[in-house]
Amino acid sequence: MRILITGSNGFLGQKLVKRLSANAHVMLFCTSGSADRIPSTIPHQFEQANFDKPEELDRVVRSFAPTHIIHTAAISSVDVCEKEPERCQRVNIQVVKQLADLATEFDIHITFLSTDFVFDGLNGPYRETDDTGACNAYGQSKIDAEQILIDSGCKHAILRTILVYGTPNPGSSAKNLVVWAKEALRNKQNIRVVSDQWRMPTWVEDLAEACYLAASQNAQGIFHISGNEMMSILEIVQEVAKFWNLDRSLIEPISAKDIGQENNRPRKTGFHLDKAKSELGYLPTPFIESLKQINKELVSN
């Protein structure tokens, strides 16, 4: 397998590189908009590329000649997608159209990362066959990109996921919910946390494994990938505080309306995971078990 990972410097991208490097039958090709952050100890080829320029994406795919592409690169910020619709259109939709065309031309399998935000949050948890309907531009861009892949006829697996968390990559300042809450509470900071949004958070290591499972099996269609525990955002943070024995009195429950998220974030998503379990062999890690692994990694780092 010759696997090209887009967004290889990102949170999921670097975890994927680490996961795939353990497979002797995989050749790794990586691309990102910034200089290579993958450790030199991991065998891989890298080329920096700006996907705003179609010719650069075309050059990367043609030069690496991958058998598989795992496309993680995207604008995932809801606010950025709302404020910069043209950029959102280019990066989240037009790039996927170009990848689909290249995949069709060269018989490449694409694993595409999507989101629970393709749903409006009124009827969660959701199955792959449920009707989509986004309540923000980010979710709509993913709906449009999914449809492009479906209509293209190229070989593809669409992996929708939810609220990804895990140990930050070395040198990264990016924070996910679990790490943010842990650090803030450890520093005795008061934090405000939404109590009326429900999710099934996804450990990034599980998501990386699901990407490998989909690519290695040349899976076709839509798959829901997440943890299997439904919790409010508040409950997630409370579990983090409990696990690390931090002061839960520092956590102030607030409503989505209090921070302007009443209408532009889905209230309750969550997934039915039967299809991913039966067809891919996907097995989500219990939330507490993932916290134990994160703690080990943080201690060792």
Side-chain angles (χ1 to χ4, degrees):
M1 297 174 67
R2 298 170 60 86
I3 301 180
L4 170 62
I5 299 173
T6 70
S8 59
N9 285 338
F11 183 38
L12 173 60
Q14 291 193 50
K15 303 296 185 184
L16 262 173
V17 169
K18 183 180 177 182
R19 168 65 185 86
L20 295 173
S21 66
N23 294 79
H25 66 284
V26 170
M27 291 186 66
L28 276 177
F29 305 90
C30 304
T31 184
S32 196
S34 53
D36 191 9
R37 296 178 195 162
I38 306 302
S40 58
T41 52
I42 295 178
H44 70 287
Q45 293 185 44
F46 177 87
E47 189 158 346
Q48 188 171 339
N50 179 1
F51 286 3
D52 273 351
K53 299 178 179 179
E55 65 275 12
E56 293 195 13
L57 176 57
D58 187 81
R59 172 175 47 79
V60 165
V61 173
R62 292 177 186 274
S63 65
F64 286 152
T67 58
H68 297 75
I69 296 173
I70 302 179
H71 183 49
T72 77
I75 299 173
S76 57
S77 166
V78 171
D79 294 333
V80 170
C81 287
E82 296 289 346
K83 294 174 183 176
E84 301 180 43
E86 292 183 359
R87 183 178 167 218
C88 176
Q89 172 81 19
R90 286 197 311 273
V91 176
N92 287 7
I93 302 173
Q94 291 177 6
V95 166
V96 176
K97 175 65 168 66
Q98 187 179 0
L99 284 174
D101 290 342
L102 288 164
T104 300
E105 181 179 354
F106 296 107
D107 194 29
I108 301 168
H109 181 277
I110 295 179
T111 299
F112 172 68
L113 274 298
S114 190
T115 172
D116 59 324
F117 279 25
V118 300
F119 298 110
D120 58 19
L122 299 179
N123 297 293
Y126 294 93
R127 299 187 184 278
E128 289 85 350
T129 51
D130 287 334
D131 292 337
T132 56
C135 58
N136 55 52
Y138 167 62
Q140 186 59 51
S141 73
K142 289 295 188 175
I143 292 174
D144 294 343
E146 288 184 7
Q147 196 59 50
I148 284 170
L149 285 172
I150 292 166
D151 292 343
S152 73
C154 73
K155 296 184 296 186
H156 68 273
I158 295 166
L159 306 189
R160 294 174 180 153
T161 192
I162 307 173
L163 195 64
V164 181
Y165 68 92
T167 310
N169 293 313
S172 173
S173 60
K175 298 287 193 298
N176 54 78
L177 178 64
V178 166
V179 172
W180 166 78
K182 173 183 173 293
E183 290 185 359
L185 294 173
R186 180 150 286 173
N187 291 327
K188 308 298 183 183
Q189 296 174 10
N190 290 290
I191 56 176
R192 305 170 77 213
V193 182
V194 174
S195 62
D196 57 352
Q197 291 176 351
W198 288 265
R199 304 286 186 262
M200 292 170 71
T202 311
W203 189 29
V204 68
E205 306 291 349
D206 284 348
L207 183 56
E209 179 65 17
C211 289
Y212 172 70
L213 290 170
S216 63
Q217 298 174 48
N218 292 313
Q220 187 72 23
I222 299 171
F223 298 89
H224 283 176
I225 304 294
S226 71
N228 60 3
E229 297 155 90
M230 180 75 78
M231 293 182 277
S232 69
I233 307 297
L234 177 63
E235 287 170 334
I236 295 169
V237 172
Q238 288 173 333
E239 286 295 323
V240 168
K242 180 180 177 182
F243 179 81
W244 275 287
N245 196 26
L246 301 169
D247 186 357
R248 278 178 277 181
S249 71
L250 296 169
I251 304 168
E252 177 190 351
I254 58 172
S255 70
K257 186 177 181 179
D258 291 334
I259 53 173
Q261 293 187 0
E262 183 180 19
N263 298 315
N264 64 0
R265 301 291 196 285
R267 183 169 180 267
K268 179 181 180 181
T269 61
F271 290 152
H272 292 282
L273 303 175
D274 311 55
K275 182 181 179 183
K277 289 178 179 179
S278 63
E279 295 190 20
L280 298 181
Y282 173 68
L283 294 173
T285 302
F287 186 67
I288 294 301
E289 290 303 314
S290 73
L291 295 186
K292 292 178 183 177
Q293 291 301 316
I294 291 168
N295 189 57
K296 287 181 182 178
E297 292 171 5
L298 291 173
V299 169
S300 64
N301 290 340

